[in-house]
Amino acid sequence: MNGNPARQRNVGSISDLLTTLADVDGTTGHEHASANGMGQGGDLTRNLPNLADAVHFLCMLHGRHPGVIDHAAMRTTDDSARSWLIQAADGFAAERTYLTQLAVVAGPAPSTAGQGDTEAAVMAQRHALDMLAQSDRRGCAMGAAFALALDWIAIRQILDAAALRLGLSPRRTLLPDRHETLTVANTICEDESIERAIHFGARQLLGQHRGLWDLLSARALARQID
């Protein structure tokens, strides 16, 4: 016999699931957010009000410590994930600093109808992510952390575009790359229950990101109409 059949069955499958989720349900797959797509009012990377809006609300969603990855680090006991979590937490601390710098330089979010409702919605999203990342279900918090690291690759393109438009130099990211993240996901996915939990956590986080981009797209359209 060559090891645990259940373990063999799951090797590679969670990385395929996470890759598909990130590519289809994440920032890359959203028309407004895609660096190559056309958002409301034109290419997001060339529209300064839309960029400022994105930076402001991304900062509201992910600019506070502890965040998704920090919560996952505090609740995860898998030794094989420890080095990834340390690197990811340190890397995302640098991303928060970058986000805050961009938000300060960009100034307040552009005036848009329904501002208070949008801020309340994003605060609710942040609360939902906090709860997700503190789940006691083994694998759920890690799924959210994996999805954040994977989706941040596309979000980083938007932040770097904003930095260039604002006269700042983009920073080198310190987050684990896609290959490192997927390798750790495969390593900790010991059985189907953990795979389902990782999948659930990742799907929920990416759903919140899509909800944010939907809000920002609606705000861009409202500014066009005004």
Side-chain angles (χ1 to χ4, degrees):
M1 297 294 289
N2 294 319
N4 186 333
R7 175 75 179 126
Q8 290 181 350
R9 183 174 62 250
N10 282 285
V11 169
S13 64
I14 192 62
S15 61
D16 292 340
L17 284 170
L18 290 173
T19 298
T20 299
L21 278 174
D23 290 345
V24 176
D25 293 338
T27 296
T28 298
H30 197 286
E31 184 181 19
H32 182 70
S34 172
N36 297 318
M38 297 297 291
Q40 295 290 351
D43 185 344
L44 176 60
T45 63
R46 298 179 183 178
N47 186 304
L48 191 53
N50 289 355
L51 278 173
D53 219 29
V55 167
H56 178 83
F57 285 104
L58 282 167
C59 193
M60 183 178 292
L61 188 63
H62 288 298
R64 185 183 65 174
H65 181 271
V68 169
I69 294 172
D70 307 297
H71 285 307
M74 289 185 283
R75 305 191 76 82
T76 300
T77 59
D78 293 278
D79 289 338
S80 54
R82 186 56 48 192
S83 61
W84 183 91
L85 282 165
I86 292 171
Q87 181 186 353
D90 289 345
F92 207 82
E95 294 301 303
R96 277 193 293 269
T97 300
Y98 188 36
L99 255 180
T100 301
Q101 180 186 23
L102 289 172
V104 169
V105 176
S111 177
T112 310
Q115 182 78 16
D117 290 340
T118 302
E119 291 182 356
V122 176
M123 289 293 289
Q125 287 186 310
R126 190 170 76 180
H127 178 72
L129 290 181
D130 284 344
M131 295 299 99
L132 179 69
Q134 295 178 77
S135 171
D136 290 328
R137 181 182 178 188
R138 187 182 176 195
C140 184
M142 284 302 300
F146 290 147
L148 178 56
L150 292 171
D151 204 38
W152 205 259
I153 296 169
I155 290 173
R156 202 31 148 83
Q157 295 181 32
I158 296 167
L159 298 183
D160 288 346
L164 291 171
R165 289 296 309 276
L166 295 167
L168 301 175
S169 297
R171 299 184 177 191
R172 183 174 69 89
T173 183
L174 302 177
L175 286 171
D177 63 26
R178 175 179 279 220
H179 174 74
E180 292 169 321
T181 298
L182 296 176
T183 297
V184 173
N186 281 337
T187 301
I188 71 168
C189 191
E190 298 174 351
D191 55 47
E192 290 184 358
S193 66
I194 296 176
E195 179 179 298
R196 287 194 298 270
I198 291 173
H199 187 209
F200 175 82
R203 192 173 67 247
Q204 292 298 310
L205 181 132
L206 292 172
Q208 295 296 341
H209 280 189
R210 287 193 71 84
L212 177 65
W213 293 119
D214 286 344
L215 278 172
L216 295 178
S217 179
R219 282 171 58 80
L221 178 59
R223 288 191 296 273
Q224 270 192 307
I225 294 172
D226 288 345

